[in-house]
Coordinates of all heavy atoms in Angstrom, one line a residue:
M1353 N -29.5 -18.1 -9.7 CA -29.3 -17.0 -8.8 C -27.9 -16.6 -8.9 O -27.0 -17.5 -9.0 CB -29.7 -17.4 -7.4 CG -29.4 -16.3 -6.4 SD -29.8 -16.4 -4.7 CE -30.0 -18.1 -4.4
R1354 N -27.6 -15.3 -8.9 CA -26.2 -14.8 -8.8 C -26.0 -14.1 -7.5 O -26.9 -13.3 -7.1 CB -26.0 -13.8 -10.0 CG -24.6 -13.3 -10.0 CD -24.3 -12.3 -11.1 NE -24.8 -12.8 -12.4 CZ -24.9 -12.1 -13.5 NH1 -24.4 -10.9 -13.5 NH2 -25.4 -12.7 -14.6
L1355 N -24.9 -14.4 -6.8 CA -24.7 -13.8 -5.5 C -23.3 -13.2 -5.6 O -22.3 -13.8 -6.0 CB -24.7 -14.9 -4.5 CG -24.4 -14.5 -3.0 CD1 -25.4 -13.6 -2.5 CD2 -24.2 -15.8 -2.2
V1356 N -23.2 -11.9 -5.1 CA -21.9 -11.2 -5.0 C -21.6 -11.1 -3.5 O -22.4 -10.6 -2.7 CB -22.0 -9.8 -5.6 CG1 -20.7 -9.1 -5.4 CG2 -22.4 -9.9 -7.1
I1357 N -20.4 -11.6 -3.2 CA -19.9 -11.5 -1.8 C -18.8 -10.5 -1.8 O -17.8 -10.7 -2.4 CB -19.4 -12.9 -1.3 CG1 -20.5 -13.9 -1.4 CG2 -18.8 -12.7 0.1 CD1 -20.0 -15.3 -1.1
A1358 N -19.0 -9.3 -1.2 CA -18.1 -8.2 -1.3 C -17.8 -7.6 0.1 O -18.2 -6.6 0.5 CB -18.7 -7.1 -2.1
P1359 N -17.0 -8.4 0.9 CA -16.7 -8.0 2.3 C -15.4 -7.1 2.3 O -14.6 -7.1 1.4 CB -16.4 -9.3 3.0 CG -15.8 -10.1 1.9 CD -16.5 -9.7 0.6
D1360 N -15.3 -6.4 3.4 CA -14.0 -5.7 3.8 C -13.3 -6.8 4.7 O -13.9 -7.8 5.0 CB -14.3 -4.5 4.6 CG -13.1 -3.6 4.8 OD1 -12.0 -4.0 4.4 OD2 -13.3 -2.5 5.3
K1361 N -12.1 -6.5 5.1 CA -11.4 -7.4 6.0 C -12.0 -7.4 7.4 O -12.8 -6.5 7.7 CB -9.9 -6.9 6.1 CG -9.8 -5.6 6.8 CD -8.4 -5.0 6.8 CE -8.3 -3.6 7.3 NZ -9.2 -2.6 6.6
F1362 N -11.7 -8.4 8.1 CA -12.0 -8.5 9.5 C -10.7 -8.2 10.2 O -9.9 -9.1 10.5 CB -12.6 -9.8 9.9 CG -14.0 -10.1 9.4 CD1 -14.6 -9.3 8.5 CD2 -14.7 -11.2 9.9 CE1 -15.9 -9.6 8.1 CE2 -16.0 -11.5 9.5 CZ -16.6 -10.6 8.6
K1363 N -10.4 -6.9 10.5 CA -9.1 -6.5 10.9 C -8.6 -7.4 12.1 O -9.3 -7.6 13.1 CB -9.2 -5.0 11.4 CG -7.8 -4.5 11.6 CD -7.8 -3.0 11.8 CE -6.4 -2.4 11.8 NZ -6.4 -1.0 11.7
G1364 N -7.4 -7.8 11.9 CA -6.8 -8.6 12.9 C -7.0 -10.1 12.8 O -6.5 -10.9 13.6
S1365 N -7.9 -10.5 11.9 CA -8.2 -11.9 11.8 C -8.2 -12.4 10.4 O -7.5 -13.4 10.1 CB -9.5 -12.3 12.5 OG -10.6 -11.6 11.9
L1366 N -8.9 -11.8 9.5 CA -8.9 -12.3 8.1 C -8.9 -11.1 7.1 O -9.4 -10.1 7.3 CB -10.2 -13.0 7.8 CG -10.5 -14.4 8.5 CD1 -11.9 -14.9 8.2 CD2 -9.5 -15.4 8.1
E1367 N -8.2 -11.3 6.0 CA -8.1 -10.4 4.9 C -9.5 -10.5 4.1 O -10.2 -11.5 4.2 CB -7.0 -10.6 4.0 CG -5.6 -10.4 4.6 CD -5.4 -9.0 5.2 OE1 -5.8 -8.1 4.5 OE2 -4.9 -8.9 6.3
A1368 N -9.8 -9.5 3.4 CA -11.1 -9.4 2.6 C -11.3 -10.6 1.7 O -12.4 -11.2 1.7 CB -11.2 -8.1 1.8
A1369 N -10.2 -11.1 1.0 CA -10.3 -12.2 0.1 C -10.6 -13.5 0.9 O -11.4 -14.4 0.5 CB -9.1 -12.4 -0.7
E1370 N -10.0 -13.6 2.1 CA -10.3 -14.8 3.0 C -11.7 -14.8 3.5 O -12.4 -15.8 3.6 CB -9.3 -14.8 4.2 CG -7.8 -14.9 3.7 CD -6.9 -14.7 4.9 OE1 -7.0 -13.7 5.6 OE2 -5.9 -15.5 5.0
V1371 N -12.2 -13.6 3.9 CA -13.6 -13.5 4.3 C -14.5 -13.9 3.2 O -15.4 -14.7 3.4 CB -14.0 -12.0 4.8 CG1 -15.5 -11.9 5.1 CG2 -13.1 -11.6 6.0
A1372 N -14.3 -13.4 2.0 CA -15.2 -13.8 0.9 C -15.1 -15.3 0.6 O -16.2 -15.9 0.4 CB -14.7 -13.0 -0.4
A1373 N -13.9 -15.9 0.7 CA -13.8 -17.3 0.5 C -14.5 -18.1 1.5 O -15.2 -19.1 1.2 CB -12.3 -17.7 0.4
E1374 N -14.4 -17.7 2.8 CA -15.1 -18.4 3.9 C -16.6 -18.3 3.8 O -17.3 -19.3 4.0 CB -14.6 -17.9 5.3 CG -13.1 -18.3 5.5 CD -12.9 -19.8 5.6 OE1 -13.7 -20.5 6.1 OE2 -11.8 -20.2 5.2
V1375 N -17.1 -17.1 3.4 CA -18.5 -16.9 3.3 C -19.0 -17.8 2.1 O -20.1 -18.5 2.3 CB -18.9 -15.5 3.0 CG1 -20.4 -15.3 2.6 CG2 -18.6 -14.6 4.3
A1376 N -18.3 -17.8 1.0 CA -18.7 -18.7 -0.1 C -18.7 -20.1 0.3 O -19.6 -20.9 -0.1 CB -17.8 -18.4 -1.3
A1377 N -17.7 -20.6 1.0 CA -17.6 -22.0 1.4 C -18.7 -22.3 2.4 O -19.3 -23.4 2.3 CB -16.2 -22.2 2.1
G1378 N -19.1 -21.4 3.3 CA -20.2 -21.7 4.2 C -21.5 -21.8 3.5 O -22.3 -22.7 3.8
L1379 N -21.7 -20.9 2.5 CA -23.0 -21.0 1.7 C -23.1 -22.3 0.9 O -24.1 -22.9 0.9 CB -23.1 -19.8 0.8 CG -23.3 -18.4 1.5 CD1 -23.1 -17.3 0.6 CD2 -24.6 -18.4 2.2
A1380 N -21.9 -22.7 0.3 CA -21.9 -23.9 -0.4 C -22.1 -25.1 0.5 O -22.9 -26.0 0.2 CB -20.6 -24.1 -1.2
A1381 N -21.5 -25.1 1.7 CA -21.7 -26.2 2.6 C -23.2 -26.3 3.1 O -23.7 -27.3 3.4 CB -20.8 -26.0 3.8
G1382 N -23.8 -25.1 3.1 CA -25.2 -25.1 3.5 C -26.2 -25.4 2.4 O -27.4 -25.4 2.6
G1383 N -25.7 -25.8 1.2 CA -26.5 -26.2 0.1 C -26.9 -25.2 -0.9 O -27.7 -25.4 -1.8
L1384 N -26.4 -24.0 -0.8 CA -26.7 -22.9 -1.7 C -26.2 -23.3 -3.1 O -25.0 -23.6 -3.3 CB -26.2 -21.6 -1.3 CG -26.5 -20.4 -2.3 CD1 -27.9 -20.0 -2.2 CD2 -25.6 -19.2 -1.9
S1385 N -27.1 -23.2 -4.1 CA -26.7 -23.4 -5.4 C -26.9 -22.1 -6.2 O -28.0 -21.7 -6.5 CB -27.6 -24.5 -6.1 OG -27.3 -24.6 -7.5
A1386 N -25.7 -21.4 -6.4 CA -25.8 -20.1 -7.0 C -24.5 -19.8 -7.8 O -23.5 -20.4 -7.5 CB -26.0 -19.0 -6.0
E1387 N -24.5 -18.9 -8.7 CA -23.3 -18.4 -9.3 C -22.7 -17.3 -8.3 O -23.3 -16.3 -8.1 CB -23.7 -17.7 -10.6 CG -22.5 -17.1 -11.3 CD -23.0 -16.3 -12.6 OE1 -24.1 -16.7 -13.1 OE2 -22.3 -15.4 -13.0
V1388 N -21.6 -17.7 -7.7 CA -21.0 -16.8 -6.7 C -19.8 -16.1 -7.2 O -18.9 -16.6 -7.8 CB -20.6 -17.7 -5.4 CG1 -19.9 -16.8 -4.4 CG2 -21.8 -18.4 -4.8
H1389 N -19.9 -14.8 -7.0 CA -18.7 -13.9 -7.3 C -18.2 -13.3 -6.1 O -18.9 -12.6 -5.3 CB -19.2 -12.7 -8.3 CG -19.8 -13.2 -9.5 ND1 -19.0 -13.5 -10.6 CD2 -21.0 -13.5 -9.9 CE1 -19.7 -13.9 -11.6 NE2 -21.0 -13.9 -11.2
R1390 N -16.9 -13.6 -5.8 CA -16.2 -13.1 -4.7 C -15.5 -11.8 -5.1 O -14.6 -11.8 -6.0 CB -15.2 -14.1 -4.1 CG -16.0 -15.3 -3.6 CD -15.0 -16.3 -2.9 NE -14.0 -16.7 -3.9 CZ -13.4 -17.9 -3.8 NH1 -13.7 -18.7 -2.9 NH2 -12.4 -18.1 -4.7
V1391 N -15.8 -10.7 -4.4 CA -15.2 -9.4 -4.8 C -14.8 -8.7 -3.5 O -15.5 -8.0 -2.8 CB -16.3 -8.5 -5.5 CG1 -15.6 -7.2 -5.9 CG2 -16.9 -9.2 -6.6
P1392 N -13.5 -9.0 -3.1 CA -13.0 -8.4 -1.8 C -13.0 -6.8 -2.0 O -12.7 -6.3 -3.0 CB -11.6 -8.9 -1.7 CG -11.5 -10.1 -2.6 CD -12.5 -9.9 -3.7
M1393 N -13.4 -6.2 -0.9 CA -13.5 -4.7 -0.9 C -12.6 -4.1 0.2 O -12.0 -4.9 0.9 CB -14.9 -4.3 -0.7 CG -15.9 -4.8 -1.7 SD -15.7 -4.3 -3.3 CE -16.5 -2.7 -3.3
A1394 N -12.5 -2.8 0.2 CA -11.8 -2.1 1.2 C -12.4 -0.7 1.4 O -13.1 -0.2 0.5 CB -10.3 -2.0 0.9
D1395 N -12.2 -0.2 2.6 CA -12.9 1.1 2.8 C -11.9 2.3 2.5 O -12.2 3.4 2.9 CB -13.3 1.2 4.3 CG -12.2 1.0 5.3 OD1 -11.0 0.9 4.9 OD2 -12.5 1.0 6.5
G1396 N -10.8 2.0 1.9 CA -9.8 3.1 1.6 C -8.6 3.0 2.5 O -7.6 3.6 2.3
G1397 N -8.7 2.2 3.6 CA -7.6 2.1 4.5 C -6.8 0.8 4.2 O -6.7 0.4 3.0
E1398 N -6.2 0.2 5.2 CA -5.5 -1.0 5.0 C -6.3 -2.0 4.3 O -7.5 -2.2 4.6 CB -5.1 -1.6 6.4 CG -4.1 -0.7 7.1 CD -3.8 -1.2 8.5 OE1 -4.7 -1.8 9.1 OE2 -2.8 -0.8 9.1
G1399 N -5.7 -2.7 3.3 CA -6.4 -3.7 2.5 C -6.9 -3.1 1.2 O -7.3 -3.9 0.3
T1400 N -6.8 -1.8 0.9 CA -7.3 -1.3 -0.3 C -6.4 -1.7 -1.5 O -7.0 -2.1 -2.5 CB -7.3 0.3 -0.2 OG1 -8.1 0.7 0.8 CG2 -7.7 0.9 -1.5
V1401 N -5.1 -1.7 -1.3 CA -4.2 -2.2 -2.4 C -4.5 -3.7 -2.7 O -4.6 -4.1 -3.8 CB -2.8 -1.9 -2.1 CG1 -1.8 -2.7 -3.0 CG2 -2.5 -0.4 -2.2
D1402 N -4.6 -4.5 -1.6 CA -4.9 -5.9 -1.8 C -6.2 -6.1 -2.6 O -6.3 -7.0 -3.4 CB -5.0 -6.6 -0.4 CG -3.7 -6.8 0.2 OD1 -2.6 -6.7 -0.5 OD2 -3.6 -6.9 1.5
A1403 N -7.2 -5.3 -2.3 CA -8.5 -5.4 -3.0 C -8.3 -5.1 -4.5 O -8.8 -5.8 -5.4 CB -9.6 -4.5 -2.4
A1404 N -7.5 -4.1 -4.8 CA -7.3 -3.7 -6.2 C -6.5 -4.9 -6.9 O -6.7 -5.2 -8.0 CB -6.5 -2.4 -6.3
L1405 N -5.5 -5.4 -6.2 CA -4.7 -6.5 -6.7 C -5.6 -7.7 -7.0 O -5.4 -8.4 -8.1 CB -3.5 -6.9 -5.8 CG -2.5 -5.8 -5.6 CD1 -1.5 -6.3 -4.6 CD2 -1.8 -5.5 -6.9
S1406 N -6.5 -8.0 -6.2 CA -7.4 -9.2 -6.4 C -8.4 -8.9 -7.6 O -8.9 -9.8 -8.1 CB -8.2 -9.5 -5.1 OG -9.2 -8.6 -4.9
A1407 N -8.5 -7.6 -7.9 CA -9.4 -7.3 -9.1 C -8.6 -7.2 -10.4 O -9.1 -6.9 -11.4 CB -10.0 -5.9 -8.8
G1408 N -7.3 -7.6 -10.3 CA -6.5 -7.7 -11.5 C -5.4 -6.6 -11.7 O -4.7 -6.6 -12.7
Y1409 N -5.3 -5.7 -10.8 CA -4.3 -4.7 -10.9 C -2.9 -5.4 -10.6 O -2.9 -6.4 -10.1 CB -4.5 -3.6 -9.8 CG -5.5 -2.6 -10.1 CD1 -6.8 -3.0 -10.5 CD2 -5.3 -1.2 -10.0 CE1 -7.8 -2.0 -10.7 CE2 -6.3 -0.3 -10.2 CZ -7.5 -0.7 -10.6 OH -8.5 0.2 -10.8
R1410 N -1.8 -4.8 -11.1 CA -0.5 -5.4 -10.8 C 0.2 -4.6 -9.7 O 0.0 -3.4 -9.6 CB 0.3 -5.4 -12.1 CG 0.8 -4.1 -12.6 CD 1.7 -4.2 -13.9 NE 2.0 -2.9 -14.4 CZ 3.0 -2.1 -14.0 NH1 3.8 -2.5 -13.0 NH2 3.2 -0.9 -14.5
P1411 N 1.0 -5.3 -8.9 CA 1.7 -4.6 -7.9 C 3.0 -3.9 -8.3 O 3.6 -4.3 -9.3 CB 2.1 -5.7 -6.9 CG 2.2 -6.9 -7.8 CD 1.2 -6.7 -8.9
L1412 N 3.3 -2.8 -7.7 CA 4.5 -2.1 -7.9 C 5.0 -1.7 -6.5 O 4.3 -1.0 -5.7 CB 4.3 -0.8 -8.7 CG 5.6 0.1 -8.9 CD1 6.7 -0.7 -9.7 CD2 5.2 1.4 -9.6
T1413 N 6.2 -2.3 -6.1 CA 6.7 -2.1 -4.8 C 7.9 -1.2 -4.8 O 8.8 -1.3 -5.7 CB 7.0 -3.4 -4.1 OG1 5.8 -4.2 -4.1 CG2 7.5 -3.2 -2.7
A1414 N 8.0 -0.3 -3.9 CA 9.2 0.6 -3.8 C 9.6 0.9 -2.4 O 8.8 0.7 -1.5 CB 8.8 2.0 -4.5
E1415 N 10.9 1.2 -2.2 CA 11.3 1.6 -0.9 C 11.1 3.1 -0.7 O 11.5 3.9 -1.6 CB 12.8 1.3 -0.7 CG 13.3 1.5 0.7 CD 14.7 1.0 0.9 OE1 14.9 -0.2 1.1 OE2 15.7 1.8 0.8
V1416 N 10.4 3.5 0.3 CA 10.0 4.9 0.6 C 10.4 5.2 2.0 O 10.7 4.4 2.8 CB 8.5 5.1 0.3 CG1 8.2 4.8 -1.2 CG2 7.6 4.3 1.2
S1417 N 10.3 6.5 2.3 CA 10.5 7.0 3.6 C 9.3 6.6 4.5 O 8.2 7.0 4.2 CB 10.7 8.5 3.6 OG 10.9 9.0 4.9
G1418 N 9.6 6.0 5.6 CA 8.5 5.6 6.6 C 8.1 6.8 7.4 O 8.7 7.9 7.3
P1419 N 7.2 6.7 8.3 CA 6.7 7.8 9.1 C 7.7 8.5 10.0 O 7.6 9.7 10.2 CB 5.6 7.2 10.0 CG 5.7 5.7 9.9 CD 6.5 5.4 8.6
L1420 N 8.7 7.8 10.4 CA 9.8 8.4 11.2 C 11.1 8.5 10.4 O 12.2 8.8 11.0 CB 10.0 7.6 12.5 CG 8.8 7.5 13.4 CD1 9.1 6.7 14.7 CD2 8.3 8.9 13.7
G1421 N 11.0 8.3 9.1 CA 12.2 8.5 8.2 C 12.9 7.3 7.8 O 13.7 7.3 6.9
A1422 N 12.8 6.2 8.6 CA 13.4 4.9 8.2 C 12.8 4.4 6.9 O 11.6 4.5 6.7 CB 13.3 3.9 9.3
P1423 N 13.6 3.7 6.1 CA 13.0 3.1 4.8 C 12.0 2.0 5.1 O 12.2 1.2 6.0 CB 14.2 2.6 4.1 CG 15.4 2.6 5.0 CD 15.0 3.5 6.2
V1424 N 10.9 2.0 4.4 CA 10.0 0.9 4.4 C 9.6 0.5 2.9 O 9.8 1.3 2.0 CB 8.6 1.3 5.1 CG1 8.9 1.6 6.6 CG2 7.9 2.4 4.5
R1425 N 9.2 -0.7 2.7 CA 8.7 -1.1 1.4 C 7.2 -1.0 1.4 O 6.5 -1.5 2.2 CB 9.2 -2.5 1.1 CG 10.7 -2.6 1.1 CD 11.3 -3.9 0.6 NE 10.8 -4.3 -0.7 CZ 11.3 -3.8 -1.9 NH1 12.1 -2.8 -1.9 NH2 10.8 -4.3 -3.0
A1426 N 6.7 -0.3 0.4 CA 5.3 0.0 0.2 C 4.9 -0.4 -1.2 O 5.6 -0.2 -2.2 CB 5.0 1.4 0.4
T1427 N 3.7 -1.0 -1.3 CA 3.2 -1.5 -2.6 C 2.0 -0.7 -3.0 O 1.1 -0.4 -2.2 CB 2.8 -3.0 -2.5 OG1 4.0 -3.7 -2.1 CG2 2.3 -3.5 -3.8
I1428 N 1.9 -0.3 -4.3 CA 0.7 0.3 -4.9 C 0.2 -0.7 -5.9 O 0.9 -1.6 -6.3 CB 1.0 1.7 -5.5 CG1 2.0 1.6 -6.7 CG2 1.6 2.6 -4.4 CD1 2.2 2.9 -7.4
A1429 N -1.0 -0.4 -6.4 CA -1.6 -1.3 -7.4 C -1.8 -0.4 -8.6 O -2.3 0.7 -8.6 CB -3.0 -1.8 -6.9
I1430 N -1.4 -1.0 -9.8 CA -1.5 -0.3 -11.1 C -2.4 -1.0 -12.0 O -2.3 -2.2 -12.2 CB -0.1 -0.3 -11.7 CG1 1.0 0.4 -10.7 CG2 -0.1 0.5 -13.0 CD1 0.9 1.8 -10.6
D1431 N -3.2 -0.3 -12.7 CA -4.0 -0.8 -13.8 C -3.6 -0.1 -15.1 O -3.9 1.1 -15.3 CB -5.5 -0.6 -13.6 CG -6.4 -1.1 -14.7 OD1 -6.0 -2.0 -15.4 OD2 -7.5 -0.5 -15.0
D1432 N -2.8 -0.8 -15.9 CA -2.2 -0.1 -17.1 C -3.3 0.3 -18.1 O -3.1 1.3 -18.8 CB -1.2 -1.1 -17.7 CG 0.0 -1.3 -16.8 OD1 0.6 -0.3 -16.3 OD2 0.4 -2.5 -16.6
E1433 N -4.4 -0.5 -18.2 CA -5.4 -0.2 -19.2 C -6.0 1.2 -19.0 O -6.2 2.0 -19.9 CB -6.5 -1.2 -19.2 CG -6.3 -2.3 -20.2 CD -7.5 -3.2 -20.2 OE1 -8.7 -2.8 -20.3 OE2 -7.3 -4.5 -20.1
S1434 N -6.3 1.5 -17.7 CA -7.0 2.8 -17.4 C -6.0 3.8 -16.9 O -6.5 4.9 -16.5 CB -8.1 2.6 -16.4 OG -7.5 2.1 -15.2
S1435 N -4.7 3.5 -16.8 CA -3.7 4.4 -16.3 C -4.1 4.9 -14.9 O -4.0 6.0 -14.5 CB -3.5 5.7 -17.2 OG -3.1 5.3 -18.4
T1436 N -4.5 3.9 -14.1 CA -5.0 4.1 -12.7 C -4.0 3.5 -11.7 O -3.6 2.4 -11.9 CB -6.4 3.6 -12.5 OG1 -7.3 4.1 -13.4 CG2 -6.9 3.8 -11.1
A1437 N -3.8 4.2 -10.6 CA -3.0 3.7 -9.5 C -3.8 3.8 -8.2 O -4.5 4.8 -8.0 CB -1.7 4.4 -9.4
V1438 N -3.7 2.8 -7.4 CA -4.3 2.8 -6.1 C -3.2 2.8 -5.1 O -2.4 1.9 -5.1 CB -5.3 1.6 -5.9 CG1 -5.8 1.5 -4.5 CG2 -6.4 1.6 -6.9
I1439 N -3.2 3.8 -4.2 CA -2.2 3.8 -3.1 C -3.0 3.6 -1.8 O -4.2 3.9 -1.7 CB -1.4 5.1 -3.1 CG1 -2.3 6.3 -2.7 CG2 -0.7 5.4 -4.4 CD1 -1.5 7.5 -2.3
E1440 N -2.2 3.2 -0.8 CA -2.7 3.0 0.5 C -1.8 3.8 1.4 O -0.7 3.3 1.6 CB -2.7 1.5 0.8 CG -3.3 1.1 2.1 CD -3.3 -0.4 2.2 OE1 -4.0 -1.1 1.3 OE2 -2.7 -1.0 3.1
M1441 N -2.2 4.9 1.9 CA -1.4 5.7 2.7 C -0.7 4.9 3.9 O 0.5 5.1 4.2 CB -2.1 6.9 3.3 CG -1.3 7.9 4.0 SD -2.2 9.4 4.3 CE -1.0 10.4 5.1
A1442 N -1.4 4.0 4.5 CA -0.9 3.2 5.6 C 0.3 2.4 5.2 O 1.1 2.1 6.1 CB -2.0 2.3 6.2
A1443 N 0.5 2.1 4.0 CA 1.6 1.3 3.5 C 2.9 2.0 3.7 O 4.0 1.4 4.0 CB 1.5 0.8 2.1
A1444 N 2.9 3.3 3.6 CA 4.1 4.1 3.8 C 4.1 4.9 5.1 O 5.2 5.2 5.6 CB 4.3 5.0 2.6
S1445 N 3.0 5.3 5.5 CA 2.9 6.3 6.6 C 2.1 5.8 7.8 O 1.8 6.6 8.7 CB 2.3 7.6 6.1 OG 3.1 8.1 5.0
G1446 N 1.6 4.6 7.8 CA 0.7 4.1 8.9 C 1.4 3.6 10.1 O 2.6 3.4 10.2
L1447 N 0.6 3.4 11.1 CA 1.0 2.8 12.4 C 1.7 1.5 12.2 O 2.7 1.2 12.9 CB -0.1 2.7 13.4 CG -0.8 4.0 13.8 CD1 -2.0 3.7 14.7 CD2 0.2 4.9 14.6
G1448 N 1.3 0.7 11.3 CA 1.8 -0.6 11.1 C 3.3 -0.7 10.6 O 3.9 -1.7 10.6
V1449 N 3.8 0.4 10.1 CA 5.2 0.5 9.6 C 6.1 1.3 10.5 O 7.2 1.5 10.2 CB 5.3 1.0 8.1 CG1 4.6 0.1 7.2 CG2 4.7 2.4 8.0
L1450 N 5.6 1.6 11.7 CA 6.5 2.3 12.7 C 7.5 1.3 13.2 O 7.2 0.1 13.4 CB 5.6 2.8 13.9 CG 4.8 4.0 13.6 CD1 3.9 4.3 14.8 CD2 5.7 5.2 13.4
P1451 N 8.7 1.7 13.4 CA 9.8 0.8 13.8 C 9.6 0.4 15.2 O 9.0 1.1 16.1 CB 11.1 1.7 13.7 CG 10.6 3.1 13.8 CD 9.2 3.1 13.2
T1452 N 10.1 -0.8 15.5 CA 10.0 -1.4 16.8 C 11.4 -1.5 17.4 O 12.4 -2.0 16.7 CB 9.4 -2.8 16.8 OG1 8.1 -2.8 16.2 CG2 9.3 -3.4 18.2
G1453 N 11.6 -1.0 18.6 CA 12.9 -1.0 19.2 C 13.3 -2.4 19.7 O 12.5 -3.4 19.6
D1454 N 14.6 -2.5 20.2 CA 15.1 -3.8 20.7 C 14.2 -4.3 21.8 O 14.1 -5.5 22.1 CB 16.5 -3.7 21.1 CG 17.4 -3.4 20.0 OD1 17.1 -3.8 18.8 OD2 18.5 -2.9 20.2
D1455 N 13.6 -3.4 22.5 CA 12.7 -3.8 23.7 C 11.3 -4.2 23.3 O 10.5 -4.5 24.1 CB 12.7 -2.6 24.7 CG 12.2 -1.3 24.1 OD1 11.8 -1.3 22.9 OD2 12.1 -0.3 24.8
G1456 N 11.0 -4.1 21.9 CA 9.7 -4.5 21.4 C 8.7 -3.4 21.5 O 7.6 -3.6 21.1
V1457 N 9.1 -2.2 21.9 CA 8.2 -1.1 22.0 C 8.2 -0.4 20.6 O 9.2 -0.1 20.0 CB 8.6 -0.1 23.1 CG1 7.7 1.1 23.1 CG2 8.5 -0.8 24.4
V1458 N 7.0 -0.1 20.1 CA 6.8 0.6 18.8 C 7.2 2.1 19.1 O 6.7 2.7 20.0 CB 5.4 0.5 18.3 CG1 5.2 1.3 17.1 CG2 5.0 -1.0 18.1
G1459 N 8.1 2.6 18.2 CA 8.5 4.0 18.2 C 7.4 4.9 17.8 O 6.8 4.7 16.7
R1460 N 7.1 5.9 18.6 CA 6.1 6.9 18.2 C 6.6 8.2 18.5 O 7.2 8.5 19.5 CB 4.8 6.6 19.0 CG 4.2 5.3 18.7 CD 2.8 5.1 19.2 NE 2.3 3.8 18.8 CZ 1.4 3.2 19.4 NH1 0.7 3.7 20.4 NH2 1.0 2.0 18.9
D1461 N 6.4 9.1 17.5 CA 6.9 10.5 17.6 C 5.9 11.4 16.8 O 6.2 11.7 15.6 CB 8.3 10.6 17.1 CG 8.9 12.0 17.2 OD1 8.2 12.9 17.8 OD2 10.0 12.3 16.7
A1462 N 4.8 11.7 17.3 CA 3.8 12.5 16.6 C 4.3 13.8 16.0 O 4.0 14.1 14.8 CB 2.6 12.8 17.5
L1463 N 5.2 14.5 16.7 CA 5.7 15.7 16.2 C 6.7 15.5 15.1 O 7.0 16.4 14.3 CB 6.2 16.6 17.3 CG 5.1 17.1 18.3 CD1 5.8 17.9 19.4 CD2 4.1 17.9 17.6
G1464 N 7.4 14.4 15.2 CA 8.5 14.1 14.2 C 8.1 13.3 13.0 O 8.8 13.0 12.1
A1465 N 6.8 12.8 13.0 CA 6.3 11.9 12.0 C 6.0 12.7 10.7 O 5.7 13.9 10.8 CB 5.1 11.1 12.5
S1466 N 6.0 12.0 9.6 CA 5.8 12.6 8.3 C 5.1 11.6 7.4 O 5.2 10.4 7.5 CB 7.1 13.0 7.7 OG 7.0 13.4 6.3
S1467 N 4.4 12.2 6.4 CA 3.7 11.4 5.4 C 4.5 11.5 4.1 O 4.0 11.2 3.0 CB 2.3 11.8 5.2 OG 2.2 13.1 4.8
R1468 N 5.8 11.9 4.2 CA 6.6 12.1 3.0 C 6.6 10.9 2.1 O 6.6 11.0 0.9 CB 8.0 12.5 3.4 CG 9.0 12.7 2.3 CD 10.3 13.2 2.8 NE 11.1 13.5 1.6 CZ 12.3 13.0 1.4 NH1 12.8 12.2 2.3 NH2 13.0 13.3 0.3
G1469 N 6.8 9.7 2.6 CA 6.8 8.5 1.8 C 5.6 8.2 1.0 O 5.7 7.6 -0.1
T1470 N 4.5 8.7 1.5 CA 3.2 8.5 0.7 C 3.3 9.4 -0.5 O 3.0 9.0 -1.6 CB 2.0 8.9 1.5 OG1 1.9 8.0 2.7 CG2 0.7 8.8 0.7

């Protein structure tokens, strides 16, 4: 039997590759004897670049303009064979890269925000 485990991340707790590994471990502990292929997936949001990297793409990281203009480091995934790049808008323009002030409050400025870095 061949089994493909292709989960998305469990946001806030496990990345997709970790979910796949835990599911595979649980099945093995339960006595499943199968050819298991772990294929982390993503829905196009956070985790998409990680899924491409786990599929063999190479990372390319650059400093870009964040949503409020401050520099952030964002990674894309490159497949040289097919001349394909996978970007994740959230890496440059998402809520997770908004700056945090000294008081620990995340800076938000909907009217001043930009996706320029993407």
Side-chain angles (χ1 to χ4, degrees):
M1353 174 176 21
R1354 183 181 312 174
L1355 178 66
V1356 177
I1357 302 170
D1360 193 355
K1361 68 188 170 304
F1362 287 11
K1363 192 169 186 166
S1365 59
L1366 294 175
E1367 296 300 320
E1370 295 170 315
V1371 174
E1374 292 297 326
V1375 169
L1379 292 170
L1384 178 70
S1385 176
E1387 178 184 337
V1388 176
H1389 298 273
R1390 296 183 303 209
V1391 185
M1393 302 296 279
D1395 60 5
E1398 294 171 335
T1400 300
V1401 166
D1402 288 337
L1405 295 175
S1406 73
Y1409 285 51
R1410 70 177 173 85
L1412 176 64
T1413 302
E1415 188 171 279
V1416 299
S1417 176
L1420 299 181
V1424 298
R1425 295 189 57 76
T1427 300
I1428 64 173
I1430 304 286
D1431 178 30
D1432 295 312
E1433 266 186 51
S1434 65
S1435 297
T1436 301
V1438 175
I1439 68 165
E1440 184 176 299
M1441 187 170 180
S1445 304
L1447 295 174
V1449 294
L1450 285 170
T1452 303
D1454 293 337
D1455 56 2
V1457 175
V1458 175
R1460 296 191 178 161
D1461 179 7
L1463 295 177
S1466 167
S1467 59
R1468 180 174 184 236
T1470 300

